[in-house]
């Protein structure tokens, strides 16, 4: 993993903590949450305050996330909002933390200037010993305060100020006045400089979790369902059906289509379909070279094209399907029929622009893992796991490509591949497609089973 770390592709954008005052603040927060302290003089933290160095020191990568269920966090600076979230257990966690920081940024900036802010992403479930327990998670609430309880004290002070102003004998209540003075010494003048954090709760309808081998849970779609990465038979009875195994490609394709969750890349608005398809073909060739132990030299596009000519009929089916689709896009080939049973099928799709776009693209990355760019962007945990088993040649190619083509313009690359970010005013759930024109009915690869004629 050293090459990934040096290239900023792993542990990138972590926040350095090296000032003695900040280290001590972190230790006090850590002791309050976990009863532990670190002896490290400096370390790095993610958006939640988790440090891989401290995790290694304590021998516990979940020291801020006991049971992998209710994630605790430590905020030393609002700069953490741009950091990644490590050891992800739920796909919604980073989004929730980032929105909490952004919507309370001014208050958090003032609070963290004097103290650390600690809190928890709370839900009604405190353990997930069975898969069915995951379906009891409906809402996540952010609870946070400084170590000294500044936010709580400010609320108490504001309540007493209101009593002093409204109660007829409030100005003669010596106990009330003494309480106000004592609280004001801790919080300052809350009438001029209010100290509060917005109470924020988030619905968790559709999400991915790493528990039980990996589950994609969709409860708020027209047709609810679960995609299980591991053995679905081991999950037991779940309150949502269908439960689809990752190998059930036809059933997954039909379910995605009925919910209107995906669209063909060749029909995606604003997408350079030809460029995207060519790059996917290159990734497939790199995978083929890995399996055949073929020397690709410098692994340039010219080398890859040479390999394609050498393989001839032995080219992977994924490559052949994408090549046929590319010929159609460029106007030089017949309309290809790539059904959901074809190995190239999920490489030809991307999520529609809806609230669960990133979740669907994450599932597509798992269904089309040779596309290493989408895998890195959408499912880093799986990318790192697969990376550890690649040859040095493939590792070098992938790191060089991502450093050259993705790191320099992350936002631009994401927009080119997946379209613009869904707007806040858009519908929360994707609607089934209303258009029933010929291409929508059959797609450029033939029809997925549909109920309508």
């Amino acid at each position: 993993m050293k090459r990934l770390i040096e290239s900023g592709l792993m542990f990138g954008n972590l926040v350095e903590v090296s000032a003695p005052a900040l280290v001590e603040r972190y230790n006090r927060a850590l002791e309050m949450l976990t009863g532990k302290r670190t002896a490290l003089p400096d370390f790095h933290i993610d958006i939640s305050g988790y440090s891989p160095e401290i995790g290694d020191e304590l021998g516990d990568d979940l020291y801020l996330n006991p049971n992998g269920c209710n994630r605790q966090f430590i905020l030393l600076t609002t700069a953490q909002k741009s950091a990644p979230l490590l050891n992800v257990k739920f796909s919604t966690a980073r989004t929730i933390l980032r929105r909490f920081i952004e919507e309370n940024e001014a208050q958090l900036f003032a609070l963290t200037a004097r103290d650390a802010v600690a809190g928890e992403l709370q839900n009604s479930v405190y353990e997930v010993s069975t898969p069915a327990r995951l379906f009891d998670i409906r809402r996540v609430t952010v609870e946070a305060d400084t170590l000294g309880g500044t936010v709580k004290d400010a609320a108490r002070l504001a309540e007493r100020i209101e009593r002093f102003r409204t109660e007829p004998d409030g100005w003669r209540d010596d106990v009330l006045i003494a309480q106000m003075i004592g609280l004001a010494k801790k919080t300052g003048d809350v009438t001029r400089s209010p100290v509060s954090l917005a109470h924020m709760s988030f619905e968790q309808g559709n999400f991915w979790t790493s528990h039980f081998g990996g589950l994609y849970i969709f409860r708020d779609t027209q047709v609810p369902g679960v995609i299980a990465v591991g053995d679905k038979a081991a999950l037991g009875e779940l309150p949502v059906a269908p439960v689809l195994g990752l190998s059930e490609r036809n059933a997954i394709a039909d379910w995605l289509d009925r919910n209107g969750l995906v669209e063909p890349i060749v029909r995606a608005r604003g997408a350079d379909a030809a460029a995207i398809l060519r790059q996917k073909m290159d990734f497939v060739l790199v995978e083929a070279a890995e399996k055949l132990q073929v020397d690709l030299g410098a692994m340039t596009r010219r080398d890859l094209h040479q390999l394609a000519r050498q393989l001839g009929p032995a080219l992977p089916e994924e490559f052949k399907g994408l090549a046929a689709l590319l010929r159609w896009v460029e106007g030089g080939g017949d309309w290809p029929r790539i059904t959901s049973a074809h190995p190239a099928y999920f490489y030809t799709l991307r999520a529609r622009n809806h609230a669960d776009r990133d979740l669907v693209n994450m599932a597509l990355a798992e269904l089309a893992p040779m596309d290493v760019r989408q895998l890195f962007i959408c499912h880093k945990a799986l990318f790192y796991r697969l990376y550890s088993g690649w040859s040095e040649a493939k590792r070098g190619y992938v790191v060089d490509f991502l450093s050259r083509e993705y790191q320099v313009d992350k936002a631009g690359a994401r927009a080119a591949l997946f379209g613009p970010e869904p707007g806040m005013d858009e519908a929360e759930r994707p609607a089934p497609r209303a258009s029933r024109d010929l291409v929508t009915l059959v797609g450029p690869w033939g029809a997925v089973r549909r109920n309508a004629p």
Side-chain angles (χ1 to χ4, degrees):
M1 299 296 181
K2 183 178 179 181
R3 183 187 282 119
L4 287 174
I5 297 172
E6 291 175 345
S7 301
L9 298 170
M10 189 175 189
F11 301 147
N13 292 331
L14 293 180
V15 176
E16 183 181 9
V17 180
S18 56
L22 292 181
V23 172
E24 178 55 28
R25 283 183 197 173
Y26 186 92
N27 259 326
R28 290 193 293 113
L30 183 62
E31 188 169 23
M32 185 184 76
L33 294 176
T34 70
K36 303 174 182 177
R37 292 176 67 90
T38 177
L40 299 177
D42 56 81
F43 46 87
H44 297 79
I45 58 175
D46 69 2
I47 188 173
S48 73
Y50 165 79
S51 167
E53 296 102 325
I54 295 176
D56 184 62
E57 177 194 24
L58 300 177
D60 182 9
D61 288 335
L62 297 179
Y63 70 87
L64 283 182
N65 194 15
N67 299 320
C69 191
N70 291 268
R71 188 146 195 156
Q72 299 171 305
F73 59 88
I74 299 171
L75 299 180
L76 298 180
T77 169
T78 54
Q80 286 174 237
K81 69 178 182 179
S82 299
L85 180 64
L86 306 180
N87 297 322
V88 179
K89 293 296 182 181
F90 290 92
S91 59
T92 53
R94 184 178 185 274
T95 300
I96 291 173
L97 282 168
R98 184 179 178 105
R99 285 189 58 186
F100 172 74
I101 295 172
E102 289 179 338
E103 295 190 23
N104 293 279
E105 190 156 6
Q107 296 286 2
L108 288 171
F109 182 83
L111 291 171
T112 55
R114 297 182 296 173
D115 203 355
V117 172
E120 183 177 344
L121 304 185
Q122 293 185 346
N123 60 65
S124 58
V125 175
Y126 295 94
E127 52 83 22
V128 285
S129 55
T130 65
R133 294 286 287 161
L134 292 166
F135 293 83
D136 294 330
I137 301 174
R138 270 294 181 181
R139 180 179 291 272
V140 177
T141 301
V142 184
E143 297 286 345
D145 202 343
T146 65
L147 303 184
T150 303
V151 175
K152 182 179 179 180
D153 287 340
R156 293 169 59 197
L157 177 57
E159 183 268 334
R160 283 160 175 76
I161 291 173
E162 184 64 18
R163 283 177 52 193
F164 179 81
R165 288 173 171 173
T166 57
E167 292 181 0
D169 295 328
W171 64 278
R172 292 190 299 180
D173 189 334
D174 293 338
V175 174
L176 177 62
I177 293 172
Q179 290 175 345
M180 290 168 55
I181 294 172
L183 289 169
K185 289 179 180 179
K186 298 179 181 179
T187 66
D189 186 355
V190 296
T191 59
R192 296 185 178 182
S193 303
V195 179
S196 65
L197 295 174
H199 180 80
M200 300 181 68
S201 293
F202 300 84
E203 291 292 332
Q204 184 155 302
N206 303 335
F207 60 92
W208 168 87
T209 176
S210 66
H211 291 286
F212 307 105
L215 295 173
Y216 294 86
I217 296 175
F218 291 84
R219 295 178 293 189
D220 294 344
T221 49
Q222 185 182 34
V223 182
V226 175
I227 300 176
V229 178
D231 180 13
K232 73 173 188 177
L235 299 176
E237 186 176 352
L238 299 180
V240 168
V243 179
L244 306 172
L246 201 65
S247 61
E248 299 178 73
R249 297 172 61 84
N250 291 336
I252 292 174
D254 179 55
W255 179 83
L256 289 171
D257 183 71
R258 282 188 290 150
N259 282 302
L261 294 171
V262 295
E263 64 183 355
I265 292 170
V266 296
R267 279 181 52 79
R269 181 179 301 175
D272 186 349
I276 294 173
L277 291 172
R278 285 194 193 95
Q279 191 58 68
K280 288 176 181 284
M281 290 164 62
D282 286 352
F283 294 144
V284 172
L285 285 174
V286 171
E287 178 72 12
E290 174 92 347
K291 291 180 179 178
L292 297 173
Q293 297 183 337
V294 175
D295 183 10
L296 289 178
M299 288 194 181
T300 63
R301 178 158 284 179
R302 180 179 179 181
D303 294 326
L304 293 173
H305 290 174
Q306 179 64 29
L307 173 64
R309 288 191 289 270
Q310 291 175 3
L311 293 178
L315 282 166
E317 290 301 314
E318 293 89 346
F319 184 91
K320 294 178 183 177
L322 292 172
L325 189 57
L326 179 61
R327 287 193 296 271
W328 177 78
V329 168
E330 295 180 333
D334 297 329
W335 188 283
R337 290 187 58 82
I338 302 176
T339 68
S340 56
H342 195 288
Y345 179 77
F346 289 108
Y347 290 88
T348 69
L349 301 177
R350 78 177 192 182
R352 286 179 175 272
N353 194 26
H354 51 72
D356 294 311
R357 186 190 72 170
D358 291 346
L359 179 62
V360 173
N361 279 328
M362 185 179 185
L364 290 175
E366 192 133 24
L367 290 160
M370 284 188 280
D371 186 348
V372 293
R373 175 172 54 183
Q374 179 161 331
L375 192 65
F376 178 78
I377 296 172
C378 302
H379 201 334
K380 284 186 173 58
L382 180 57
F383 174 88
Y384 295 140
R385 188 163 72 247
L386 295 178
Y387 177 92
S388 64
W390 292 342
S391 68
E392 284 301 313
K394 183 174 180 179
R395 289 177 182 177
Y397 171 84
V398 172
V399 169
D400 179 68
F401 174 85
L402 292 175
S403 300
R404 185 180 66 253
E405 302 290 339
Y406 175 65
Q407 289 287 85
V408 294
D409 184 11
K410 296 178 182 179
R414 289 179 63 90
L417 292 172
F418 310 123
E421 293 291 332
M424 294 298 292
D425 57 344
E426 295 187 26
E428 293 186 357
R429 299 275 79 82
R433 288 176 293 217
S435 172
R436 307 299 293 178
D437 61 32
L438 179 62
V439 179
T440 299
L441 278 168
V442 301
W445 43 78
V448 174
R449 181 183 68 77
R450 296 177 186 270
N451 296 325

